[in-house]
Amino acid sequence: DGGITQSPKYLFRKEGQNVTLSCEQNLNHDAMYWYRQDPGQGLRLIYYSQIVNDFQKGDIAEGYSVSREKKESFPLTVTSAQKNPTAFYLCASSDWTANEKLFFGSGTQLSVL
Amino acid sequence: DQQVKQNSPSLSVQEGRISILNCDYTNSMFDYFLWYKKYPAEGPTFLISISSIKDKNEDGRFTVFLNKSAKHLSLHIVPSQPGDSAVYFCLMIPTNFGNEKLTFGTGTRLTIIP
């Protein structure tokens, strides 16, 4: 079964701690994305990657970092510099060459202890 | 500068009636329009899409309408069912899709009243 897997489903962060959210896809998609959702707001783009070893900042990249060492994987690190990390994080992938739709993972809820 | 607006943050509809969700946009360079449905603590799932060369696309209970001159996109659900209660987002794909800053609407929470 092809799809996107995000883990963990729930994550807690202590003050000053970095945490990493996992995103893996087996759809052979070139592009991967990280979005953040806050209550009452639309999805906001954190980072995106169109190809392995390349990624670009989205609208709210401050306090986050990513890597794209493999096509299948696009982990997101929420650093201690992110002052308001509590949110629902969504990973997505797409292959826009075929005008395919965006596929989403099931999300990770991050909370600060 | 919000390029895509869903002006109704919430909507309540009686079961069996029609639900109408709307998106208004300002950028005329969108090429492809999609609707996603999202349950709490889950990722959005694709619902229906329409390309800019069409003005209507139908799939079962779901119909999407595009009015390019008014820059208006709408989703009709009829008849509405309790399982339709969710948050609905519109997603706009720009013509130059090499620019990967896809634009989502802010979402509308639909509640179907049994």
Side-chain angles (χ1 to χ4, degrees), chain A residues 9-10 33 35 37 41-43 45 48 50 57-59 88 90 96-97 99 101-102 104-107, chain B residues 31-32 34 36 38 41-46 87 89 91 93 97-102 104-107:
Chain A
K9 193 169 178 65
Y10 299 97
Y33 312 78
Y35 290 92
Q37 191 194 10
Q41 293 200 36
L43 295 171
L45 182 65
Y48 64 95
Q50 294 174 262
K57 291 182 179 180
D59 299 315
F88 189 61
L90 284 160
W96 292 115
T97 56
N99 246 357
K101 55 189 179 288
L102 208 60
F104 285 90
S106 55
Chain B
D31 206 30
Y32 207 51
L34 300 88
Y36 282 82
K38 185 182 178 304
E42 292 185 16
T45 54
F46 171 74
V87 176
F89 292 97
L91 170 62
I93 311 300
F97 61 79
N99 172 6
E100 298 294 347
K101 290 198 175 184
L102 310 172
F104 280 93
T106 49

mmCIF file of all heavy atoms in Angstrom, chain A residues 9-10 33 35 37 41-43 45 48 50 57-59 88 90 96-97 99 101-102 104-107, chain B residues 31-32 34 36 38 41-46 87 89 91 93 97-102 104-107:
data_model
loop_
_atom_site.group_PDB
_atom_site.id
_atom_site.type_symbol
_atom_site.label_atom_id
_atom_site.label_comp_id
_atom_site.label_asym_id
_atom_site.label_seq_id
_atom_site.Cartn_x
_atom_site.Cartn_y
_atom_site.Cartn_z
ATOM 1 N N LYS A 9 2.524 9.955 16.383
ATOM 2 C CA LYS A 9 1.235 10.637 16.256
ATOM 3 C C LYS A 9 1.134 11.780 17.281
ATOM 4 O O LYS A 9 0.560 12.829 17.008
ATOM 5 C CB LYS A 9 0.094 9.642 16.472
ATOM 6 C CG LYS A 9 -1.273 10.184 16.065
ATOM 7 C CD LYS A 9 -2.308 9.078 16.037
ATOM 8 C CE LYS A 9 -3.682 9.621 15.689
ATOM 9 N NZ LYS A 9 -3.744 10.156 14.322
ATOM 10 N N TYR A 10 1.694 11.559 18.469
ATOM 11 C CA TYR A 10 1.711 12.573 19.519
ATOM 12 C C TYR A 10 3.150 12.718 20.014
ATOM 13 O O TYR A 10 3.860 11.723 20.177
ATOM 14 C CB TYR A 10 0.806 12.193 20.697
ATOM 15 C CG TYR A 10 -0.638 12.044 20.308
ATOM 16 C CD1 TYR A 10 -1.170 10.782 20.036
ATOM 17 C CD2 TYR A 10 -1.465 13.152 20.191
ATOM 18 C CE1 TYR A 10 -2.498 10.635 19.662
ATOM 19 C CE2 TYR A 10 -2.801 13.011 19.818
ATOM 20 C CZ TYR A 10 -3.296 11.754 19.557
ATOM 21 O OH TYR A 10 -4.603 11.615 19.176
ATOM 22 N N TYR A 33 6.629 18.202 1.537
ATOM 23 C CA TYR A 33 6.289 19.463 2.198
ATOM 24 C C TYR A 33 6.010 19.234 3.682
ATOM 25 O O TYR A 33 5.568 18.165 4.082
ATOM 26 C CB TYR A 33 4.995 20.048 1.600
ATOM 27 C CG TYR A 33 4.926 20.092 0.103
ATOM 28 C CD1 TYR A 33 4.636 18.946 -0.630
ATOM 29 C CD2 TYR A 33 5.115 21.282 -0.582
ATOM 30 C CE1 TYR A 33 4.546 18.982 -2.005
ATOM 31 C CE2 TYR A 33 5.028 21.333 -1.959
ATOM 32 C CZ TYR A 33 4.744 20.175 -2.667
ATOM 33 O OH TYR A 33 4.654 20.215 -4.037
ATOM 34 N N TYR A 35 3.727 21.216 6.652
ATOM 35 C CA TYR A 35 2.776 22.257 6.984
ATOM 36 C C TYR A 35 2.499 22.232 8.477
ATOM 37 O O TYR A 35 2.592 21.198 9.132
ATOM 38 C CB TYR A 35 1.446 22.047 6.247
ATOM 39 C CG TYR A 35 1.517 22.287 4.764
ATOM 40 C CD1 TYR A 35 1.793 21.247 3.885
ATOM 41 C CD2 TYR A 35 1.304 23.552 4.235
ATOM 42 C CE1 TYR A 35 1.851 21.460 2.517
ATOM 43 C CE2 TYR A 35 1.355 23.785 2.871
ATOM 44 C CZ TYR A 35 1.637 22.728 2.018
ATOM 45 O OH TYR A 35 1.707 22.943 0.673
ATOM 46 N N GLN A 37 -0.584 23.369 11.267
ATOM 47 C CA GLN A 37 -1.932 23.879 11.429
ATOM 48 C C GLN A 37 -2.184 24.271 12.872
ATOM 49 O O GLN A 37 -1.950 23.480 13.792
ATOM 50 C CB GLN A 37 -2.987 22.857 11.001
ATOM 51 C CG GLN A 37 -4.357 23.514 10.936
ATOM 52 C CD GLN A 37 -5.502 22.561 10.860
ATOM 53 O OE1 GLN A 37 -5.351 21.369 11.031
ATOM 54 N NE2 GLN A 37 -6.678 23.095 10.601
ATOM 55 N N GLN A 41 -6.815 28.364 11.935
ATOM 56 C CA GLN A 41 -5.987 28.901 10.849
ATOM 57 C C GLN A 41 -5.850 27.892 9.733
ATOM 58 O O GLN A 41 -6.034 26.701 9.925
ATOM 59 C CB GLN A 41 -4.597 29.252 11.395
ATOM 60 C CG GLN A 41 -4.590 30.393 12.385
ATOM 61 C CD GLN A 41 -3.216 31.016 12.506
ATOM 62 O OE1 GLN A 41 -2.495 31.097 11.505
ATOM 63 N NE2 GLN A 41 -2.862 31.459 13.682
ATOM 64 N N GLY A 42 -5.502 28.403 8.561
ATOM 65 C CA GLY A 42 -5.241 27.513 7.439
ATOM 66 C C GLY A 42 -3.891 26.844 7.581
ATOM 67 O O GLY A 42 -3.116 27.142 8.484
ATOM 68 N N LEU A 43 -3.615 25.947 6.677
ATOM 69 C CA LEU A 43 -2.321 25.264 6.676
ATOM 70 C C LEU A 43 -1.235 26.243 6.217
ATOM 71 O O LEU A 43 -1.381 26.911 5.201
ATOM 72 C CB LEU A 43 -2.368 24.075 5.717
ATOM 73 C CG LEU A 43 -3.343 22.972 6.121
ATOM 74 C CD1 LEU A 43 -3.492 21.953 5.009
ATOM 75 C CD2 LEU A 43 -2.863 22.286 7.388
ATOM 76 N N LEU A 45 2.893 26.779 5.264
ATOM 77 C CA LEU A 45 4.046 26.032 4.780
ATOM 78 C C LEU A 45 5.287 26.359 5.584
ATOM 79 O O LEU A 45 5.662 27.531 5.722
ATOM 80 C CB LEU A 45 4.267 26.347 3.298
ATOM 81 C CG LEU A 45 5.409 25.622 2.605
ATOM 82 C CD1 LEU A 45 5.144 24.122 2.560
ATOM 83 C CD2 LEU A 45 5.601 26.174 1.206
ATOM 84 N N TYR A 48 9.749 23.089 2.106
ATOM 85 C CA TYR A 48 9.433 22.140 1.054
ATOM 86 C C TYR A 48 10.706 21.721 0.331
ATOM 87 O O TYR A 48 11.715 22.429 0.367
ATOM 88 C CB TYR A 48 8.399 22.685 0.082
ATOM 89 C CG TYR A 48 8.832 23.905 -0.702
ATOM 90 C CD1 TYR A 48 9.380 23.788 -1.976
ATOM 91 C CD2 TYR A 48 8.642 25.182 -0.182
ATOM 92 C CE1 TYR A 48 9.746 24.901 -2.701
ATOM 93 C CE2 TYR A 48 9.015 26.299 -0.905
ATOM 94 C CZ TYR A 48 9.555 26.162 -2.154
ATOM 95 O OH TYR A 48 9.927 27.279 -2.877
ATOM 96 N N GLN A 50 11.897 19.900 -3.442
ATOM 97 C CA GLN A 50 11.480 19.437 -4.764
ATOM 98 C C GLN A 50 12.330 18.266 -5.240
ATOM 99 O O GLN A 50 11.958 17.575 -6.184
ATOM 100 C CB GLN A 50 11.569 20.577 -5.785
ATOM 101 C CG GLN A 50 10.578 21.702 -5.504
ATOM 102 C CD GLN A 50 10.788 22.862 -6.445
ATOM 103 O OE1 GLN A 50 11.432 23.844 -6.096
ATOM 104 N NE2 GLN A 50 10.244 22.765 -7.637
ATOM 105 N N LYS A 57 12.812 27.273 2.154
ATOM 106 C CA LYS A 57 11.985 27.773 3.246
ATOM 107 C C LYS A 57 10.594 28.120 2.736
ATOM 108 O O LYS A 57 10.440 28.652 1.638
ATOM 109 C CB LYS A 57 12.616 29.023 3.863
ATOM 110 C CG LYS A 57 13.899 28.750 4.630
ATOM 111 C CD LYS A 57 14.429 30.033 5.252
ATOM 112 C CE LYS A 57 15.709 29.746 6.043
ATOM 113 N NZ LYS A 57 16.254 30.982 6.660
ATOM 114 N N GLY A 58 9.627 27.831 3.593
ATOM 115 C CA GLY A 58 8.266 28.254 3.322
ATOM 116 C C GLY A 58 7.989 29.583 4.006
ATOM 117 O O GLY A 58 8.887 30.389 4.219
ATOM 118 N N ASP A 59 6.739 29.765 4.400
ATOM 119 C CA ASP A 59 6.332 31.049 4.974
ATOM 120 C C ASP A 59 6.713 31.213 6.446
ATOM 121 O O ASP A 59 6.823 32.332 6.943
ATOM 122 C CB ASP A 59 4.817 31.209 4.828
ATOM 123 C CG ASP A 59 4.397 31.201 3.366
ATOM 124 O OD1 ASP A 59 5.073 31.881 2.565
ATOM 125 O OD2 ASP A 59 3.436 30.506 3.015
ATOM 126 N N PHE A 88 -0.387 21.194 15.149
ATOM 127 C CA PHE A 88 -0.552 19.940 14.429
ATOM 128 C C PHE A 88 0.288 20.045 13.156
ATOM 129 O O PHE A 88 0.126 20.979 12.378
ATOM 130 C CB PHE A 88 -2.034 19.740 14.104
ATOM 131 C CG PHE A 88 -2.374 18.387 13.552
ATOM 132 C CD1 PHE A 88 -2.144 17.241 14.287
ATOM 133 C CD2 PHE A 88 -2.939 18.268 12.301
ATOM 134 C CE1 PHE A 88 -2.466 15.994 13.781
ATOM 135 C CE2 PHE A 88 -3.283 17.012 11.783
ATOM 136 C CZ PHE A 88 -3.032 15.887 12.532
ATOM 137 N N LEU A 90 1.707 18.551 9.553
ATOM 138 C CA LEU A 90 1.330 17.674 8.457
ATOM 139 C C LEU A 90 2.436 17.618 7.418
ATOM 140 O O LEU A 90 2.948 18.644 6.990
ATOM 141 C CB LEU A 90 0.056 18.168 7.794
ATOM 142 C CG LEU A 90 -1.234 17.884 8.568
ATOM 143 C CD1 LEU A 90 -2.341 18.806 8.103
ATOM 144 C CD2 LEU A 90 -1.638 16.431 8.405
ATOM 145 N N TRP A 96 4.000 16.729 -9.226
ATOM 146 C CA TRP A 96 3.230 17.697 -9.995
ATOM 147 C C TRP A 96 3.440 17.582 -11.500
ATOM 148 O O TRP A 96 2.734 18.168 -12.269
ATOM 149 C CB TRP A 96 3.541 19.122 -9.545
ATOM 150 C CG TRP A 96 3.033 19.355 -8.164
ATOM 151 C CD1 TRP A 96 3.776 19.602 -7.067
ATOM 152 C CD2 TRP A 96 1.678 19.296 -7.721
ATOM 153 N NE1 TRP A 96 2.955 19.723 -5.973
ATOM 154 C CE2 TRP A 96 1.680 19.531 -6.340
ATOM 155 C CE3 TRP A 96 0.459 19.067 -8.365
ATOM 156 C CZ2 TRP A 96 0.517 19.549 -5.588
ATOM 157 C CZ3 TRP A 96 -0.704 19.092 -7.609
ATOM 158 C CH2 TRP A 96 -0.663 19.330 -6.236
ATOM 159 N N THR A 97 4.410 16.788 -11.903
ATOM 160 C CA THR A 97 4.590 16.638 -13.342
ATOM 161 C C THR A 97 3.363 16.013 -13.975
ATOM 162 O O THR A 97 3.095 16.187 -15.142
ATOM 163 C CB THR A 97 5.818 15.772 -13.656
ATOM 164 O OG1 THR A 97 5.682 14.515 -12.993
ATOM 165 C CG2 THR A 97 7.081 16.452 -13.178
ATOM 166 N N ASN A 99 0.387 16.562 -12.633
ATOM 167 C CA ASN A 99 -0.695 17.330 -12.019
ATOM 168 C C ASN A 99 -1.468 16.509 -10.997
ATOM 169 O O ASN A 99 -2.674 16.623 -10.861
ATOM 170 C CB ASN A 99 -1.655 17.850 -13.073
ATOM 171 C CG ASN A 99 -1.614 19.360 -13.156
ATOM 172 O OD1 ASN A 99 -0.910 20.015 -12.379
ATOM 173 N ND2 ASN A 99 -2.322 19.927 -14.078
ATOM 174 N N LYS A 101 -2.578 15.225 -7.260
ATOM 175 C CA LYS A 101 -2.933 15.952 -6.059
ATOM 176 C C LYS A 101 -1.871 15.753 -4.978
ATOM 177 O O LYS A 101 -0.995 14.926 -5.089
ATOM 178 C CB LYS A 101 -4.288 15.469 -5.553
ATOM 179 C CG LYS A 101 -4.357 13.961 -5.326
ATOM 180 C CD LYS A 101 -5.776 13.539 -5.033
ATOM 181 C CE LYS A 101 -5.895 12.050 -4.820
ATOM 182 N NZ LYS A 101 -5.734 11.296 -6.064
ATOM 183 N N LEU A 102 -2.001 16.516 -3.938
ATOM 184 C CA LEU A 102 -1.118 16.446 -2.786
ATOM 185 C C LEU A 102 -1.595 15.310 -1.886
ATOM 186 O O LEU A 102 -2.784 15.195 -1.597
ATOM 187 C CB LEU A 102 -1.217 17.776 -2.041
ATOM 188 C CG LEU A 102 -0.072 18.298 -1.217
ATOM 189 C CD1 LEU A 102 1.161 18.489 -2.068
ATOM 190 C CD2 LEU A 102 -0.469 19.619 -0.594
ATOM 191 N N PHE A 104 -1.319 13.570 1.892
ATOM 192 C CA PHE A 104 -0.947 13.962 3.236
ATOM 193 C C PHE A 104 -0.721 12.751 4.131
ATOM 194 O O PHE A 104 -1.366 11.712 3.969
ATOM 195 C CB PHE A 104 -2.045 14.814 3.879
ATOM 196 C CG PHE A 104 -2.097 16.219 3.361
ATOM 197 C CD1 PHE A 104 -2.884 16.540 2.267
ATOM 198 C CD2 PHE A 104 -1.362 17.222 3.961
ATOM 199 C CE1 PHE A 104 -2.937 17.829 1.779
ATOM 200 C CE2 PHE A 104 -1.413 18.525 3.480
ATOM 201 C CZ PHE A 104 -2.207 18.825 2.394
ATOM 202 N N GLY A 105 0.178 12.926 5.100
ATOM 203 C CA GLY A 105 0.294 11.963 6.182
ATOM 204 C C GLY A 105 -0.813 12.201 7.194
ATOM 205 O O GLY A 105 -1.631 13.110 7.042
ATOM 206 N N SER A 106 -0.830 11.405 8.242
ATOM 207 C CA SER A 106 -1.899 11.495 9.240
ATOM 208 C C SER A 106 -1.613 12.536 10.313
ATOM 209 O O SER A 106 -2.455 12.801 11.160
ATOM 210 C CB SER A 106 -2.132 10.132 9.897
ATOM 211 O OG SER A 106 -0.910 9.659 10.431
ATOM 212 N N GLY A 107 -0.428 13.137 10.277
ATOM 213 C CA GLY A 107 -0.153 14.256 11.164
ATOM 214 C C GLY A 107 0.502 13.876 12.481
ATOM 215 O O GLY A 107 0.425 12.732 12.948
ATOM 216 N N ASP B 31 -4.182 27.475 -11.676
ATOM 217 C CA ASP B 31 -4.455 26.611 -12.814
ATOM 218 C C ASP B 31 -5.349 25.429 -12.461
ATOM 219 O O ASP B 31 -6.001 24.858 -13.328
ATOM 220 C CB ASP B 31 -3.098 26.084 -13.309
ATOM 221 C CG ASP B 31 -3.124 25.731 -14.759
ATOM 222 O OD1 ASP B 31 -3.892 26.355 -15.520
ATOM 223 O OD2 ASP B 31 -2.387 24.812 -15.151
ATOM 224 N N TYR B 32 -5.328 25.081 -11.195
ATOM 225 C CA TYR B 32 -5.951 23.832 -10.781
ATOM 226 C C TYR B 32 -6.439 24.060 -9.366
ATOM 227 O O TYR B 32 -5.736 24.664 -8.548
ATOM 228 C CB TYR B 32 -4.884 22.741 -10.830
ATOM 229 C CG TYR B 32 -5.367 21.343 -11.063
ATOM 230 C CD1 TYR B 32 -6.228 21.030 -12.109
ATOM 231 C CD2 TYR B 32 -4.931 20.313 -10.254
ATOM 232 C CE1 TYR B 32 -6.646 19.742 -12.320
ATOM 233 C CE2 TYR B 32 -5.346 19.021 -10.460
ATOM 234 C CZ TYR B 32 -6.201 18.739 -11.499
ATOM 235 O OH TYR B 32 -6.610 17.448 -11.694
ATOM 236 N N LEU B 34 -8.417 22.387 -5.856
ATOM 237 C CA LEU B 34 -8.753 21.129 -5.185
ATOM 238 C C LEU B 34 -9.459 21.417 -3.866
ATOM 239 O O LEU B 34 -9.220 22.443 -3.235
ATOM 240 C CB LEU B 34 -7.487 20.311 -4.876
ATOM 241 C CG LEU B 34 -6.614 19.874 -6.035
ATOM 242 C CD1 LEU B 34 -5.572 20.939 -6.373
ATOM 243 C CD2 LEU B 34 -5.906 18.569 -5.713
ATOM 244 N N TYR B 36 -10.113 19.646 -0.041
ATOM 245 C CA TYR B 36 -9.695 18.630 0.907
ATOM 246 C C TYR B 36 -10.623 18.663 2.112
ATOM 247 O O TYR B 36 -11.134 19.710 2.501
ATOM 248 C CB TYR B 36 -8.257 18.865 1.383
ATOM 249 C CG TYR B 36 -7.201 18.434 0.401
ATOM 250 C CD1 TYR B 36 -6.840 19.252 -0.663
ATOM 251 C CD2 TYR B 36 -6.578 17.210 0.517
ATOM 252 C CE1 TYR B 36 -5.881 18.846 -1.576
ATOM 253 C CE2 TYR B 36 -5.613 16.797 -0.385
ATOM 254 C CZ TYR B 36 -5.279 17.623 -1.425
ATOM 255 O OH TYR B 36 -4.339 17.221 -2.325
ATOM 256 N N LYS B 38 -10.886 17.427 6.216
ATOM 257 C CA LYS B 38 -9.996 17.063 7.328
ATOM 258 C C LYS B 38 -10.793 16.816 8.605
ATOM 259 O O LYS B 38 -11.528 17.689 9.069
ATOM 260 C CB LYS B 38 -8.977 18.182 7.553
ATOM 261 C CG LYS B 38 -7.944 17.843 8.613
ATOM 262 C CD LYS B 38 -6.997 18.981 8.848
ATOM 263 C CE LYS B 38 -6.012 18.626 9.942
ATOM 264 N NZ LYS B 38 -6.645 18.231 11.201
ATOM 265 N N ALA B 41 -7.249 15.759 14.174
ATOM 266 C CA ALA B 41 -6.064 14.928 14.426
ATOM 267 C C ALA B 41 -5.785 13.942 13.291
ATOM 268 O O ALA B 41 -5.130 12.916 13.499
ATOM 269 C CB ALA B 41 -6.184 14.183 15.750
ATOM 270 N N GLU B 42 -6.267 14.238 12.099
ATOM 271 C CA GLU B 42 -5.941 13.412 10.939
ATOM 272 C C GLU B 42 -5.446 14.317 9.817
ATOM 273 O O GLU B 42 -5.720 15.517 9.798
ATOM 274 C CB GLU B 42 -7.163 12.639 10.437
ATOM 275 C CG GLU B 42 -7.642 11.557 11.383
ATOM 276 C CD GLU B 42 -8.774 10.757 10.781
ATOM 277 O OE1 GLU B 42 -8.980 10.834 9.545
ATOM 278 O OE2 GLU B 42 -9.467 10.068 11.548
ATOM 279 N N GLY B 43 -4.722 13.725 8.853
ATOM 280 C CA GLY B 43 -4.316 14.493 7.688
ATOM 281 C C GLY B 43 -5.491 14.738 6.764
ATOM 282 O O GLY B 43 -6.451 13.975 6.747
ATOM 283 N N PRO B 44 -5.444 15.814 5.980
ATOM 284 C CA PRO B 44 -6.519 16.076 5.009
ATOM 285 C C PRO B 44 -6.580 14.971 3.957
ATOM 286 O O PRO B 44 -5.557 14.388 3.600
ATOM 287 C CB PRO B 44 -6.095 17.398 4.363
ATOM 288 C CG PRO B 44 -5.121 18.007 5.303
ATOM 289 C CD PRO B 44 -4.427 16.878 5.959
ATOM 290 N N THR B 45 -7.765 14.700 3.474
ATOM 291 C CA THR B 45 -7.947 13.748 2.381
ATOM 292 C C THR B 45 -8.545 14.473 1.190
ATOM 293 O O THR B 45 -9.401 15.348 1.335
ATOM 294 C CB THR B 45 -8.858 12.580 2.778
ATOM 295 O OG1 THR B 45 -10.085 13.106 3.279
ATOM 296 C CG2 THR B 45 -8.217 11.739 3.866
ATOM 297 N N PHE B 46 -8.095 14.080 0.027
ATOM 298 C CA PHE B 46 -8.553 14.697 -1.210
ATOM 299 C C PHE B 46 -10.009 14.371 -1.448
ATOM 300 O O PHE B 46 -10.463 13.240 -1.240
ATOM 301 C CB PHE B 46 -7.700 14.194 -2.369
ATOM 302 C CG PHE B 46 -8.207 14.593 -3.715
ATOM 303 C CD1 PHE B 46 -8.064 15.895 -4.153
ATOM 304 C CD2 PHE B 46 -8.835 13.677 -4.525
ATOM 305 C CE1 PHE B 46 -8.528 16.266 -5.394
ATOM 306 C CE2 PHE B 46 -9.309 14.033 -5.774
ATOM 307 C CZ PHE B 46 -9.153 15.332 -6.209
ATOM 308 N N VAL B 87 -13.562 19.740 8.649
ATOM 309 C CA VAL B 87 -13.072 21.027 8.151
ATOM 310 C C VAL B 87 -12.714 20.850 6.678
ATOM 311 O O VAL B 87 -12.059 19.868 6.308
ATOM 312 C CB VAL B 87 -11.842 21.502 8.941
ATOM 313 C CG1 VAL B 87 -11.294 22.801 8.338
ATOM 314 C CG2 VAL B 87 -12.222 21.726 10.400
ATOM 315 N N PHE B 89 -10.886 22.450 3.273
ATOM 316 C CA PHE B 89 -9.911 23.415 2.763
ATOM 317 C C PHE B 89 -9.939 23.406 1.247
ATOM 318 O O PHE B 89 -10.017 22.349 0.624
ATOM 319 C CB PHE B 89 -8.487 23.023 3.169
ATOM 320 C CG PHE B 89 -8.193 23.124 4.626
ATOM 321 C CD1 PHE B 89 -8.270 21.995 5.433
ATOM 322 C CD2 PHE B 89 -7.805 24.321 5.188
ATOM 323 C CE1 PHE B 89 -7.977 22.077 6.784
ATOM 324 C CE2 PHE B 89 -7.508 24.415 6.533
ATOM 325 C CZ PHE B 89 -7.600 23.280 7.338
ATOM 326 N N LEU B 91 -7.533 24.285 -2.052
ATOM 327 C CA LEU B 91 -6.105 24.387 -2.383
ATOM 328 C C LEU B 91 -5.990 24.848 -3.826
ATOM 329 O O LEU B 91 -6.643 24.303 -4.708
ATOM 330 C CB LEU B 91 -5.415 23.029 -2.211
ATOM 331 C CG LEU B 91 -3.988 22.907 -2.725
ATOM 332 C CD1 LEU B 91 -3.065 23.868 -1.996
ATOM 333 C CD2 LEU B 91 -3.481 21.480 -2.569
ATOM 334 N N ILE B 93 -3.516 25.640 -7.117
ATOM 335 C CA ILE B 93 -2.232 25.318 -7.737
ATOM 336 C C ILE B 93 -1.914 26.380 -8.776
ATOM 337 O O ILE B 93 -2.693 26.604 -9.701
ATOM 338 C CB ILE B 93 -2.283 23.946 -8.438
ATOM 339 C CG1 ILE B 93 -2.877 22.885 -7.517
ATOM 340 C CG2 ILE B 93 -0.909 23.550 -8.942
ATOM 341 C CD1 ILE B 93 -2.117 22.675 -6.246
ATOM 342 N N PHE B 97 3.746 25.835 -11.677
ATOM 343 C CA PHE B 97 3.781 24.953 -10.514
ATOM 344 C C PHE B 97 5.195 24.600 -10.074
ATOM 345 O O PHE B 97 5.387 23.931 -9.109
ATOM 346 C CB PHE B 97 2.947 23.690 -10.745
ATOM 347 C CG PHE B 97 3.403 22.830 -11.880
ATOM 348 C CD1 PHE B 97 4.474 21.968 -11.751
ATOM 349 C CD2 PHE B 97 2.735 22.877 -13.099
ATOM 350 C CE1 PHE B 97 4.895 21.172 -12.808
ATOM 351 C CE2 PHE B 97 3.146 22.074 -14.157
ATOM 352 C CZ PHE B 97 4.225 21.227 -14.014
ATOM 353 N N GLY B 98 6.207 25.042 -10.793
ATOM 354 C CA GLY B 98 7.568 24.907 -10.304
ATOM 355 C C GLY B 98 7.769 25.719 -9.031
ATOM 356 O O GLY B 98 8.614 25.390 -8.213
ATOM 357 N N ASN B 99 7.009 26.767 -8.837
ATOM 358 C CA ASN B 99 6.973 27.498 -7.572
ATOM 359 C C ASN B 99 6.054 26.731 -6.644
ATOM 360 O O ASN B 99 4.850 26.710 -6.806
ATOM 361 C CB ASN B 99 6.430 28.902 -7.799
ATOM 362 C CG ASN B 99 6.176 29.649 -6.488
ATOM 363 O OD1 ASN B 99 6.515 29.155 -5.424
ATOM 364 N ND2 ASN B 99 5.567 30.793 -6.580
ATOM 365 N N GLU B 100 6.669 26.087 -5.661
ATOM 366 C CA GLU B 100 5.888 25.140 -4.881
ATOM 367 C C GLU B 100 5.129 25.748 -3.722
ATOM 368 O O GLU B 100 4.707 25.049 -2.834
ATOM 369 C CB GLU B 100 6.830 24.037 -4.367
ATOM 370 C CG GLU B 100 7.474 23.243 -5.478
ATOM 371 C CD GLU B 100 6.473 22.433 -6.269
ATOM 372 O OE1 GLU B 100 5.333 22.278 -5.829
ATOM 373 O OE2 GLU B 100 6.851 21.954 -7.356
ATOM 374 N N LYS B 101 4.953 27.058 -3.700
ATOM 375 C CA LYS B 101 4.185 27.665 -2.615
ATOM 376 C C LYS B 101 2.701 27.553 -2.939
ATOM 377 O O LYS B 101 2.051 28.497 -3.365
ATOM 378 C CB LYS B 101 4.597 29.110 -2.419
ATOM 379 C CG LYS B 101 5.998 29.241 -1.825
ATOM 380 C CD LYS B 101 6.241 30.610 -1.239
ATOM 381 C CE LYS B 101 7.587 30.650 -0.548
ATOM 382 N NZ LYS B 101 7.816 31.935 0.121
ATOM 383 N N LEU B 102 2.176 26.383 -2.719
ATOM 384 C CA LEU B 102 0.763 26.139 -2.936
ATOM 385 C C LEU B 102 -0.048 26.911 -1.907
ATOM 386 O O LEU B 102 0.385 27.071 -0.782
ATOM 387 C CB LEU B 102 0.480 24.641 -2.810
ATOM 388 C CG LEU B 102 1.412 23.761 -3.633
ATOM 389 C CD1 LEU B 102 1.188 22.305 -3.297
ATOM 390 C CD2 LEU B 102 1.198 24.011 -5.118
ATOM 391 N N PHE B 104 -3.358 27.411 0.386
ATOM 392 C CA PHE B 104 -4.554 26.849 1.001
ATOM 393 C C PHE B 104 -5.476 27.957 1.478
ATOM 394 O O PHE B 104 -5.041 29.033 1.862
ATOM 395 C CB PHE B 104 -4.174 26.026 2.239
ATOM 396 C CG PHE B 104 -3.663 24.653 1.932
ATOM 397 C CD1 PHE B 104 -2.309 24.416 1.797
ATOM 398 C CD2 PHE B 104 -4.533 23.590 1.796
ATOM 399 C CE1 PHE B 104 -1.830 23.145 1.525
ATOM 400 C CE2 PHE B 104 -4.075 22.318 1.528
ATOM 401 C CZ PHE B 104 -2.715 22.098 1.396
ATOM 402 N N GLY B 105 -6.778 27.668 1.461
ATOM 403 C CA GLY B 105 -7.723 28.532 2.150
ATOM 404 C C GLY B 105 -7.615 28.298 3.650
ATOM 405 O O GLY B 105 -6.917 27.384 4.109
ATOM 406 N N THR B 106 -8.299 29.118 4.431
ATOM 407 C CA THR B 106 -8.208 29.060 5.887
ATOM 408 C C THR B 106 -9.082 27.967 6.486
ATOM 409 O O THR B 106 -8.973 27.663 7.662
ATOM 410 C CB THR B 106 -8.606 30.399 6.503
ATOM 411 O OG1 THR B 106 -9.839 30.813 5.912
ATOM 412 C CG2 THR B 106 -7.552 31.462 6.235
ATOM 413 N N GLY B 107 -9.951 27.393 5.704
ATOM 414 C CA GLY B 107 -10.771 26.286 6.181
ATOM 415 C C GLY B 107 -12.149 26.723 6.637
ATOM 416 O O GLY B 107 -12.326 27.819 7.177
#
